[in-house]
Amino acid sequence: MTTLTPAPARPRRPGAERPVVTVWVAVLVALCWTCLLFRTARMGAMPAALDAPLPPPYRRAELALLFGMWVATVWATMLPATTPSVVLFARVNRLYHAVRRPYLATALFMFGYLFSWTVFGAASTLAQWALHDAGALDNALAVTNSTVAGLALVAAGVYQWTPAKQESLAHCRAPLAFVLTNWRRGPWGAFRMGVTHGRYCVGCCWLLMVLLFAAGLTNLAAAAGLALLAMAEKLAPGGAWIATLGGLALVAWGTLLLFP
């Protein structure tokens, strides 16, 4: 870790990094949503026979597609909420000139963040593989057992109230202290900082993303709703209260499924 000290001033337009980073994120998120729309449309066109109780095991190509869907989903859902953190990292690069190529370091910070979510996507792929082979998923890749779906909703709602959730959310809402006190020089240092920041975000929202097992990985409305909730928690005033109220709503929804 390195303590930052301001570098000699250089003529550079204030705030120049914001539009650049915003375009990066917008393009990447748009690509992810495009992939999801295309893949969902393809799966929707498949014959209804795939709803058989015991579907055939996944082959290597199908596992790769499933992993790609999970990665695209978590990137599209979580990246918009962390845009201010990426902008902040780019701004610190501009003000302190701690690296030779500030935009390269910013890109590596962002992809370090996404790497943490990619690991989550890999774990989710393995879990979905096991559920598929057990015949526990429908054609939308959702768990068919309403009791399991209800328990997932209740667990996600309760987690919203835990200290672990609140601590991770506090980090995501105010990353300035992390950036300034955990600064690491060089491209590899930027990537490592992104991974660490991503771990906090995974700790904040992992159980929300697990709800896609209940809603279905191809349920784009559910993914969009989770993206909006994550943005509200991390960016809106009173995000901690939004998380608490969201948890209450999830517990109530899950209870209705458990006791119809």
Side-chain angles (χ1 to χ4, degrees), residues 43-243:
M43 294 186 69
M46 289 181 179
L50 291 181
D51 286 325
L54 292 175
Y58 282 134
R59 294 168 296 183
R60 184 178 303 176
E62 293 165 333
L63 274 176
L65 286 173
L66 182 63
F67 174 66
M69 286 188 68
W70 268 107
V71 170
T73 302
V74 294
W75 285 21
T77 303
M78 291 299 157
L79 188 54
T82 201
T83 303
S85 298
V86 183
V87 172
L88 172 65
F89 183 91
R91 182 170 299 171
V92 171
N93 269 319
R94 177 177 63 82
L95 293 176
Y96 291 88
H97 308 291
V99 295
R100 294 177 58 187
R101 299 177 179 86
Y103 284 125
L104 173 61
T106 301
L108 289 171
F109 174 82
M110 181 174 70
F111 283 108
Y113 170 85
L114 294 174
F115 175 79
S116 294
W117 276 112
T118 301
V119 173
F120 174 87
S124 299
T125 300
L126 295 176
Q128 197 133 32
W129 183 11
L131 291 171
H132 170 88
D133 287 355
L137 301 178
D138 61 18
N139 201 38
L141 303 181
V143 174
T144 56
N145 191 313
S146 61
T147 300
V148 173
L151 290 173
L153 285 164
V154 171
V158 171
Y159 184 72
Q160 295 286 95
W161 308 330
T162 62
K165 165 72 177 190
Q166 294 301 322
E167 179 182 353
S168 299
L169 180 59
H171 168 92
C172 294
R173 288 182 57 84
L176 179 59
F178 164 75
V179 171
L180 293 180
T181 60
N182 294 272
W183 189 267
R184 297 181 183 274
R185 292 186 180 274
W188 176 241
F191 182 81
R192 290 176 63 189
M193 288 180 66
V195 171
T196 302
H197 179 60
R199 289 206 307 264
Y200 277 102
C201 187
V202 173
C204 179
C205 299
W206 72 277
L207 259 178
L208 291 179
M209 296 305 298
V210 166
L211 294 180
L212 289 175
F213 284 96
L217 187 57
T218 63
N219 190 332
L220 299 187
L226 291 174
L228 291 175
L229 178 58
M231 291 179 65
E233 288 182 356
K234 296 178 182 180
L235 306 180
W241 283 104
I242 293 174

